[in-house]
Amino acid sequence: GAVAGIGGALTARVGQTVFLGVEMRYLMAFERMSLGQQVGSALYAGPTGYWRISDTAWLSAAWNIQLAGHANNDPARLDLTNFSRQLVRLKLGFEF
């Protein structure tokens, strides 16, 4: 299968090197790579953060929770067939 989606975030500077915010993502699952029949969808939201550790290093994190979703032929409130309940992303970067 394939997954396509769209997302966005709002962040604010809360310190010299720290940013905090919120993020929303809408993902759609398809049965084939050609994006044929849609088999499910999920709406996620959660906090994000960014910390500039030094002049050459940074750390970013996001934690999203599935708020709503739907899998085909499943009456459940969330789409746990095609997507997980939570998404966690942690990135550590170095510039040189």
Side-chain angles (χ1 to χ4, degrees):
V3 174
I6 188 167
L10 293 173
T11 60
R13 187 179 204 159
V14 296
Q16 180 91 11
T17 60
V18 177
F19 292 80
L20 295 177
V22 294
E23 175 182 59
M24 288 192 79
R25 300 173 69 161
Y26 179 72
L27 302 177
M28 296 163 287
F30 297 91
E31 77 180 7
R32 293 189 310 276
M33 291 297 291
S34 62
L35 303 181
Q37 169 88 20
Q38 184 176 339
V39 295
S41 62
L43 176 67
Y44 289 91
T48 65
Y50 174 87
W51 175 33
R52 186 74 177 176
I53 300 167
S54 70
D55 288 342
T56 59
W58 54 268
L59 178 70
S60 70
W63 173 37
N64 294 167
I65 300 168
Q66 191 177 150
L67 302 177
H70 175 73
N72 289 1
N73 303 319
D74 186 353
R77 185 177 71 83
L78 301 176
D79 182 352
L80 300 177
T81 303
N82 300 295
F83 300 101
S84 59
R85 183 177 298 272
Q86 300 179 44
L87 301 175
V88 177
R89 187 174 57 251
L90 184 63
K91 294 181 184 179
L92 177 63
F94 296 96
E95 299 170 2
F96 50 93

